[in-house]
């Protein structure tokens, strides 16, 4: 039997070191620190050389069984040394675990986004409560992003209707004739 480290089980492929795990009846608190090389400035993309400070972020993570998981992640704040850059300091982000301005891990955010896409606001919030995920309807709806809208509406539109199976399922193809772009619609 192959034994795995705590990092390999909880954070596969992510550059963190688990310092301590605290267990209570309904919450598992994992204290971890980033082991990644210095981050890059989000504006100018220059790699940092000097550390400004460090602090702990609290991130909600995907639950383990019926337990809620909270990651207390130690991250570093860096100086941006490029004179032309307007950003003086920035915080490192751990790829695969944290994103700017988020209090949940990228994995949990993906779960919540999927739930919001499938169920919408209130039903998704009810399911999240049942799964012991902390997410209200407004938070779930904020995770949804609008699809890309073309810069202009088509002037010449071609329409074709067809059957996927005879008498069962029909489809419609809309073509922007000038741009040569195809959009699809499907109806029963």
């Amino acid at each position: 039997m192959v034994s795995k480290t705590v990092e390999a089980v909880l954070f596969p492929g992510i550059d963190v070191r688990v310092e301590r795990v605290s267990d209570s009846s309904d919450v598992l608190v994992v204290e971890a620190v980033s082991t990644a090389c210095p981050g890059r400035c989000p504006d100018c993309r220059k790699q940092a050389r000097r550390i400004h400070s460090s602090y702990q972020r609290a991130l909600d993570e995907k639950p383990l069984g019926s337990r809620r998981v909270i990651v207390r992640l130690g991250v570093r704040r860096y100086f941006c040394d490029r004179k032309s850059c307007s950003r003086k300091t920035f915080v490192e982000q751990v790829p695969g675990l944290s994103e700017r301005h988020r209090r949940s891990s990228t994995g949990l955010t993906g779960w919540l986004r999927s739930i919001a896409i499938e169920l919408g606001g209130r039903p998704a919030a009810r399911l999240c409560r049942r799964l012991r995920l902390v997410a209200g309807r407004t938070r779930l709806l904020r995770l949804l992003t609008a699809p890309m809208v073309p810069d202009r509406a088509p002037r010449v539109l071609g329409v074709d209707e067809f059957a996927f199976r005879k008498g069962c399922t029909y489809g419609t193809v809309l073509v922007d004739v000038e741009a040569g772009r195809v959009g699809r619609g499907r109806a029963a």
Side-chain angles (χ1 to χ4, degrees):
M1 184 169 160
V2 178
S3 64
K4 292 186 175 185
T5 62
V6 175
E7 290 90 355
V9 172
L10 293 177
F11 310 111
I14 299 173
D15 294 327
V16 294
R17 182 180 68 243
V18 174
E19 302 260 310
R20 185 169 60 192
V21 177
S22 305
D23 185 20
S24 69
S25 62
D26 58 345
V27 177
L28 188 69
V29 178
V30 179
E31 293 185 22
V33 293
S34 171
T35 58
C37 44
R40 293 186 176 275
C41 174
D43 290 348
C44 68
R45 305 301 303 155
K46 180 175 168 58
Q47 188 164 10
R49 293 185 182 180
R50 299 185 302 145
I51 295 175
H52 178 277
S53 59
S54 62
Y55 68 97
Q56 261 190 354
R57 288 179 67 178
L59 298 171
D60 286 330
E61 179 59 279
K62 295 181 278 191
L64 268 174
S66 63
R67 290 191 179 141
R68 184 174 165 218
V69 178
I70 298 174
V71 178
R72 289 199 181 125
L73 180 64
V75 292
R76 298 167 286 205
R77 178 174 288 280
Y78 292 102
F79 286 105
C80 181
D81 292 327
R82 183 166 282 169
K83 300 284 185 211
S84 61
C85 184
S86 62
R87 188 179 297 268
K88 300 303 176 203
T89 64
F90 63 94
V91 175
E92 71 178 326
Q93 301 302 322
V94 179
L97 186 60
S98 67
E99 293 176 320
R100 289 181 66 197
H101 309 296
R102 296 245 187 241
R103 292 185 182 180
S104 57
S105 68
T106 54
L108 179 60
T109 302
W111 273 21
L112 295 175
R113 186 175 290 119
S114 296
I115 291 171
I117 288 170
E118 294 299 324
L119 297 177
R122 287 192 177 110
R126 284 193 299 268
L127 178 63
C128 287
R129 273 195 303 275
R130 185 97 174 151
L131 295 174
R132 296 183 186 223
L133 300 174
V134 180
R137 65 184 174 88
T138 54
R139 177 181 177 193
L140 291 166
L141 292 175
R142 272 196 308 264
L143 292 174
L144 300 177
T145 55
M148 293 297 295
V149 177
D151 294 337
R152 62 172 186 83
R155 289 185 327 129
V156 181
L157 189 64
V159 180
D160 187 21
E161 296 179 340
F162 60 94
F164 288 102
R165 286 184 46 196
K166 188 175 180 179
C168 293
T169 307
Y170 300 93
T172 304
V173 177
L174 302 173
V175 180
D176 180 355
V177 177
E178 291 177 330
R181 279 185 270 172
V182 177
R184 294 185 185 142
R186 183 176 172 153

